[in-house]
Amino acid sequence: MMTPMRYILLVLGAIISIHYILSFTHEEYGKATSISNIAEQWTGSKSDPPYKTPVPDQYYKPDSPMDLQDRKANASFVMLVRNSDLIGIMSSMKQIEDRFNRKFQYPYVFLNDEPFTQNFKDHIQALTNSKVEFGLIPSDHWHQPSWVDEDRATKSRDDMVKNNVIYGGSVPYRNMCRFNSGFFYRHELLQQYRYYWRVEPDIKLFCDVDYDPFLMMQDQNKVYGFTISLYEYQATIPTLWNVVKSFINANPDLVASGNAMGFLSDDGGESYNLCHFWSNFEIADLDFWRSEAYSKFFEYLDEQGGFYYERWGDAPVHSIGAALFAKKEQIHFFNDIGYRHEPFQHCPQGNVHAKGKCWCDPAQNFDYEWYSCLNRYDKIFS
């Protein structure tokens, strides 16, 4: 006969066996009877803080684009940046996405004279649903050409440093100016595109852009668009205009009729008034830079060595090219795109400010300050 203790042990064994069977075959039973769950009943939950739990999907609205038009321009954003510019270009790109590109979904092309790191690529691609490409600039498009007289170039840089000319001693800055003047549009990643929007790190985009500026440029046959115009530093381009005049005299057939010479010169082209479009913001036609007129113009300038013997910038070079080889109506002022690149900003005024939901202070507007050239742009249409 079995003793009472044996009956008790037999019952306990059966209960334990049934428990383990139920734990493996019924998930909810297993969770409810687990040791950790029972312990929590006595000691309190040891789960993560509430904010660690993701917001349920039911509260999200899909991040889908606005009803896209049937047409899109063949266009891309272009960003010339270094790996160290990551935080600044992420800030710029986030504003581009929020104010415009989340709706229109144009692609991005990033260019660098060194390979982009995987960390850079990962952070950039996380900001957009659009296509992103990363390109390496060919060495001969970026570095100082071997034919430049380095002794002469060094002396020029030293003189500029003594005279406190901004970026006067920098070779990389000169490389950048030359690349932007005559090479960026030749990069293999840009060959597929017709229009571009240049974006730099740490800019501010103040207003919603609810229309497609690329399509507007295309349909209205515009070739160059800007937001800020101002005077160049004379010390950086002492011989540039003489070289420009020499080119014009040798190639009068390339100069467009009805051009914007009046923006550049107050005496019919005899002298340069130093006005230029600030090229850190550009929405423009890549085929214009690829044209015979501008190609010959850049090659002529480059042969003079002024990018290194002086400090010719891409802003005056692009501006002079656009003003000479396009009709004035083909140069567009984007009055409705609020924009800041330190230390200047364009802030739309009146109804334009309200329509764009702009957040800049209308009183902080460079348009007609003494150092601005917008009044000269206005006058060429009067």
Side-chain angles (χ1 to χ4, degrees):
M1 295 182 59
M2 297 180 66
T3 64
M5 180 58 68
R6 288 178 177 175
Y7 279 113
I8 293 173
L9 292 175
L10 182 62
V11 171
L12 285 175
I15 292 174
I16 292 172
S17 298
I18 293 171
H19 167 73
Y20 277 108
I21 292 171
L22 291 175
S23 296
F24 284 110
T25 59
H26 294 75
E27 182 178 357
E28 292 303 318
Y29 175 84
K31 289 181 179 178
T33 59
S34 67
I35 295 176
S36 60
N37 186 64
I38 294 172
E40 285 179 0
Q41 306 302 317
W42 294 91
T43 63
S45 175
K46 297 297 184 181
S47 61
D48 291 330
Y51 69 86
K52 297 277 190 176
T53 303
V55 175
D57 291 343
Q58 70 192 73
Y59 297 107
Y60 282 91
K61 184 176 180 179
D63 188 16
S64 57
M66 188 173 65
D67 291 337
L68 293 176
Q69 299 166 280
D70 293 334
R71 298 188 304 131
K72 284 184 72 174
N74 181 19
S76 175
F77 294 97
V78 177
M79 302 183 178
L80 174 63
V81 289
R82 299 160 296 189
N83 288 299
S84 59
D85 292 322
L86 176 60
I87 300 303
I89 202 62
M90 286 178 65
S91 173
S92 300
M93 187 175 172
K94 180 61 176 172
Q95 293 174 73
I96 290 289
E97 283 290 306
D98 290 348
R99 290 298 196 169
F100 170 74
N101 206 45
R102 182 178 292 180
K103 303 171 186 176
F104 293 94
Q105 297 190 343
Y106 279 99
Y108 293 84
V109 172
F110 284 80
L111 301 178
N112 191 351
D113 66 310
E114 297 180 352
F116 284 106
T117 65
Q118 192 59 49
N119 179 66
F120 185 99
K121 294 178 181 179
D122 290 345
H123 278 83
I124 291 299
Q125 290 171 321
L127 293 180
T128 183
N129 293 323
S130 297
K131 176 183 177 182
V132 183
E133 293 183 285
F134 301 92
L136 182 64
I137 298 169
S139 179
D140 59 330
H141 288 186
W142 183 260
H143 292 106
Q144 179 176 302
S146 59
W147 50 260
V148 169
D149 182 340
E150 179 54 34
D151 290 339
R152 180 180 171 187
T154 299
K155 183 179 184 304
S156 173
R157 294 195 300 270
D158 291 344
D159 289 343
M160 287 192 178
V161 170
K162 291 176 184 176
N163 292 317
N164 296 315
V165 176
I166 187 170
Y167 302 119
S170 174
V171 174
Y173 187 84
R174 287 169 167 82
N175 292 339
M176 179 193 70
C177 290
R178 179 173 178 262
F179 174 77
N180 279 329
S181 294
F183 292 98
F184 84 94
Y185 50 86
R186 307 185 200 189
H187 195 280
E188 60 180 0
L189 292 182
L190 290 176
Q191 295 310 301
Q192 60 191 304
Y193 298 114
R194 171 70 185 274
Y195 297 94
Y196 72 98
W197 180 336
R198 175 173 164 179
V199 180
E200 295 204 349
D202 297 307
I203 58 106
K204 289 184 174 66
L205 197 67
F206 291 120
C207 311
D208 289 348
V209 183
D210 291 324
Y211 69 97
D212 190 330
F214 296 122
L215 275 182
M216 187 276 294
M217 296 283 286
Q218 174 181 294
D219 293 349
Q220 298 184 16
N221 194 30
K222 307 286 188 182
V223 300
Y224 191 85
F226 70 98
T227 56
I228 294 173
S229 58
L230 67 167
Y231 294 94
E232 181 59 295
Y233 297 110
Q234 173 66 44
T236 66
I237 54 166
T239 68
L240 176 59
W241 192 249
N242 286 335
V243 174
V244 171
K245 288 196 296 181
S246 177
F247 178 83
I248 292 172
N249 291 336
N251 300 274
D253 56 311
L254 296 180
V255 178
S257 60
N259 60 44
M261 175 65 86
F263 175 74
L264 304 174
S265 177
D266 303 326
D267 52 17
E270 184 59 32
S271 64
Y272 179 34
N273 61 24
L274 304 179
C275 280
H276 67 281
F277 308 116
W278 216 18
S279 60
N280 47 67
F281 173 102
E282 293 180 325
I283 299 178
D285 184 344
L286 288 161
D287 280 355
F288 179 75
W289 306 131
R290 298 168 180 144
S291 68
E292 177 190 9
Y294 186 80
S295 295
K296 287 185 175 180
F297 176 65
F298 171 75
E299 294 298 336
Y300 188 84
L301 296 186
D302 198 32
E303 290 170 359
Q304 313 309 310
F307 291 103
Y308 294 97
Y309 299 144
E310 297 179 10
R311 207 223 66 191
W312 295 354
D314 55 279
V317 172
H318 275 191
S319 301
I320 292 170
L324 292 181
F325 308 126
K327 294 183 180 297
K328 60 185 179 183
E329 292 83 7
Q330 293 180 289
I331 301 174
H332 183 71
F333 171 45
F334 279 102
N335 183 42
D336 46 12
I337 298 182
Y339 173 79
R340 181 178 184 87
H341 185 293
E342 293 295 340
F344 305 119
Q345 74 180 37
H346 163 65
C347 185
Q349 305 290 294
N351 292 335
V352 179
H353 189 281
K355 185 176 181 179
K357 301 181 180 65
C358 305
W359 59 275
C360 52
D361 179 357
Q364 300 296 314
N365 183 36
F366 184 69
D367 288 1
Y368 296 106
E369 294 294 326
W370 69 272
Y371 205 65
S372 171
C373 288
L374 184 61
N375 61 337
R376 293 182 183 276
Y377 172 80
D378 293 343
K379 286 178 182 177
I380 65 176
F381 298 101
S382 62

